[in-house]
Amino acid sequence: MLLLRFLMKAEAIVAAAAYAATTLLLLADVVAREFFSQSLWGAQQTAILCSILAGMIGLTLATGRGAHFRPEFADGVLRFKAIDRIGDLISAVLFAVIAYYAVEFVLESRDFGDRVPVVNLMLWPVQIVVPYAMISSAIKHAIFALNPQAKDELRTA
């Protein structure tokens, strides 16, 4: 449980820093364009990369807090104690499968030498956040399936 709390705090710090960087880069670019008639080279592309990082890490934070949007119309259809555990187990498996394909995607991007337009950075190091987010979410759902109290403890932490 301590590991999950640490992970959530670290992910929250990374997401907040990425959102702050996105905001500062875009603000600086607007100021440069409005006052100096020239945009900051690579600011918009870097802001996009930061927002991708923030969004993917946000997925893991939402998983940990149980904050995903979900339909509630069928909540009473299946009424037995293990339904939450089964849901978390299915989610863990789905995230793990998606993580596998995300790793394949990143490796292929690396092999092809894909680059970010304008700033000409290798794309695969940025894409690593996708498999990370899927693996982190899979682990969290697996822990929740094994220990449902962990979910409640993380929501209140």
Side-chain angles (χ1 to χ4, degrees):
M1 192 61 213
L2 185 61
L3 177 65
L4 277 180
R5 284 189 183 168
F6 172 78
L7 189 60
M8 292 283 291
K9 284 186 191 279
E11 289 170 345
I13 290 168
V14 169
Y19 274 123
T22 299
T23 303
L24 291 174
L25 283 164
L26 292 177
L27 182 62
D29 190 50
V30 168
V31 168
R33 278 188 282 121
E34 292 297 320
F35 291 108
F36 305 112
S37 299
Q38 185 167 348
S39 66
L40 296 177
W41 178 84
Q44 293 175 5
Q45 290 77 13
T46 306
I48 289 170
L49 298 176
C50 289
S51 65
I52 291 169
L53 174 65
M56 293 307 298
I57 297 298
L59 168 72
T60 68
L61 292 170
T63 298
R65 296 265 186 229
H68 291 292
F69 290 122
R70 65 178 193 77
E72 296 177 356
F73 68 90
D75 280 357
V77 174
L78 298 174
R79 295 180 184 217
F80 53 95
K81 286 187 175 187
I83 193 69
D84 283 341
R85 283 184 172 201
I86 292 169
D88 282 319
L89 182 62
I90 291 169
S91 294
V93 170
L94 288 174
F95 274 117
V97 169
I98 295 168
Y100 171 79
Y101 287 105
V103 168
E104 290 292 318
F105 177 75
V106 172
L107 292 174
E108 191 171 283
S109 180
R110 183 194 66 189
D111 293 344
F112 287 157
D114 293 343
R115 295 189 162 289
V116 178
V118 179
V119 291
N120 201 31
L121 295 171
M122 293 298 293
L123 186 56
W124 71 267
V126 176
Q127 293 173 332
I128 287 175
V129 72
V130 177
Y132 170 81
M134 299 302 129
I135 291 166
S136 176
S137 294
I139 290 169
K140 287 174 186 172
H141 277 295
I143 290 171
F144 298 157
L146 295 172
N147 180 10
Q149 290 80 17
K151 188 186 295 188
D152 294 332
E153 289 176 23
L154 271 185
R155 284 182 184 168
T156 59

